[in-house]
Amino acid sequence: GINVASLDMINERFIRLFRLGMLEVLRTSPRINPTHAQIVRFGDYLKGLQAPMSVNVIRMNPLRGYSIVVLDPTVVFSSLDSFFGGFGKGVGQLPSGRLFTPTESRIINMILDVFFRCLKDAWAPVMPLEFELVSSEINPQFAQIADENDLVVLSRFEADATASGGRGFIDLVYPYATLKPVRELLSTRVSSGEGNEESDRKWRSDLAAAVGDAKLELQVTMGEVKTTLHHLNNLQEGDLLFFKKDDTALMTANGVPAFHVNVGTRGSQVAVQIDHEHVHGKL
């Protein structure tokens, strides 16, 4: 089935972006309370809605089918009021056949622009989506994106939209069949950011493979001599330097102590044999 928790994570990311976008475009930043995405029958969802609503049928390319974004009139009118310098005054009950005026429709389109942009960014870690507005209605019954008995995935964003305490909502409804082909992507790509054990293991293995070809310079230090700058300045050709040779030489990789080695020969080549690992030199 579809991982609803993954959608919740996409929705949380969307809400953060959407609040900023609304503030920038409409001079209002509604407090939006995320509710968990839920799977419901499309007929049951429609029963809970009353016209007029701003019902917008959308395409989410390259996914198949149509989805809807439903704006409660309270969100539309409070955004309109804020845009023109008011306090975000909402609206009471409207007659079911009331159409949105050209100004109200313009505000709806501005909200949808922000909505699409933020939803695209929220989905980006899972897959690239392009959102396209197909048609707008005021009666939810006309937005037949699925049969009555078909399952849909409902994400409701409840907004404390008005200074006077009015509340509205924005619904995003995906047909279950639309998201079904990407359920694998939803489970793996979204959860990978949450410390998922399987994805962590794969990440470590991919990282190890990627850095495995990195070139390193190995150096073998036979021993060290401590001296003074005065003594160093007076050294001449033929002088002897004495140092205590350790049982094993130290091999470093790019300057990092890695192994203790025995120095010897193999055929005509000078060679080293690893004796043991340097305690602090794990790469």
Side-chain angles (χ1 to χ4, degrees):
I2 290 169
N3 187 343
V4 175
S6 300
L7 283 174
D8 286 341
M9 288 171 63
I10 290 173
N11 290 346
E12 281 172 26
R13 194 158 48 224
F14 162 76
I15 286 169
R16 287 198 299 273
L17 297 165
F18 187 62
R19 287 199 65 198
L20 290 170
M22 287 286 278
L23 185 61
E24 192 182 305
V25 174
L26 292 173
R27 306 173 198 168
T28 178
S29 183
R31 191 164 80 245
I32 299 171
N33 310 311
T35 51
H36 294 300
Q38 48 187 313
I39 297 169
V40 296
R41 280 177 62 254
F42 188 50
D44 292 340
Y45 168 69
L46 291 178
K47 277 180 203 162
L49 298 181
Q50 204 173 349
M53 295 266 171
S54 170
V55 183
N56 305 279
V57 179
I58 66 168
R59 285 289 310 272
M60 303 195 311
N61 299 312
L63 298 182
R64 296 179 64 185
Y66 297 93
S67 299
I68 52 173
V69 179
V70 179
L71 305 181
D72 175 351
T74 303
V75 173
V76 177
F77 282 88
S78 62
S79 300
L80 179 73
D81 195 49
S82 297
F83 184 70
F84 286 108
F87 294 102
K89 191 172 183 301
V91 64
Q93 190 63 47
L94 294 169
S96 62
R98 183 197 185 281
L99 298 172
F100 289 105
T101 67
T103 305
E104 290 156 9
S105 296
R106 180 73 191 105
I107 290 290
I108 289 167
N109 286 333
M110 289 168 78
I111 296 172
L112 289 176
D113 283 345
V114 177
F115 192 95
F116 293 157
R117 187 176 78 234
C118 298
L119 198 57
K120 176 182 169 142
D121 287 350
W123 268 87
V126 180
M127 65 182 295
L129 288 180
E130 292 293 336
F131 292 86
E132 173 195 342
L133 179 61
V134 177
S135 66
S136 296
E137 315 282 349
I138 59 163
N139 190 334
Q141 306 295 330
F142 295 151
Q144 290 301 323
I145 59 163
D147 288 337
E148 196 176 82
N149 290 314
D150 286 348
L151 293 177
V152 294
V153 182
L154 164 64
S155 297
R156 172 161 286 190
F157 306 104
E158 292 182 342
D160 294 335
T162 70
S164 55
R167 301 190 69 181
F169 63 82
I170 302 175
D171 285 349
L172 174 60
V173 183
Y174 309 106
Y176 191 88
T178 294
L179 294 187
K180 207 172 172 186
V182 294
R183 64 184 184 275
E184 291 299 320
L185 283 176
L186 277 171
S187 352
T188 53
R189 293 204 186 164
V190 177
S191 57
S192 63
E194 294 297 298
N196 176 289
E197 277 181 33
E198 175 61 24
S199 67
D200 281 358
R201 189 190 60 70
K202 185 173 185 317
W203 181 82
R204 278 197 300 271
S205 134
D206 288 350
L207 180 63
V211 299
D213 292 332
K215 293 196 182 324
L216 298 173
E217 182 181 275
L218 300 179
Q219 290 183 326
V220 178
T221 306
M222 301 285 292
E224 291 181 351
V225 176
K226 288 189 178 174
T227 186
T228 62
L229 181 60
H230 173 73
H231 186 224
L232 186 68
N233 279 337
N234 291 322
L235 282 178
Q236 292 177 12
E237 192 176 329
D239 285 351
L240 290 175
L241 293 173
F242 298 94
F243 67 91
K244 181 176 176 297
K245 180 179 176 296
D246 290 328
D247 293 339
T248 56
L250 181 64
M251 177 187 277
T252 60
N254 272 32
V256 179
F259 300 104
H260 292 278
V261 297
N262 296 308
V263 181
T265 57
R266 168 63 65 89
S268 61
Q269 300 280 329
V270 177
V272 294
Q273 181 180 49
I274 292 172
D275 184 87
H276 61 278
E277 192 172 19
H278 184 73
V279 182
H280 304 296
K282 275 208 165 180
L283 295 173

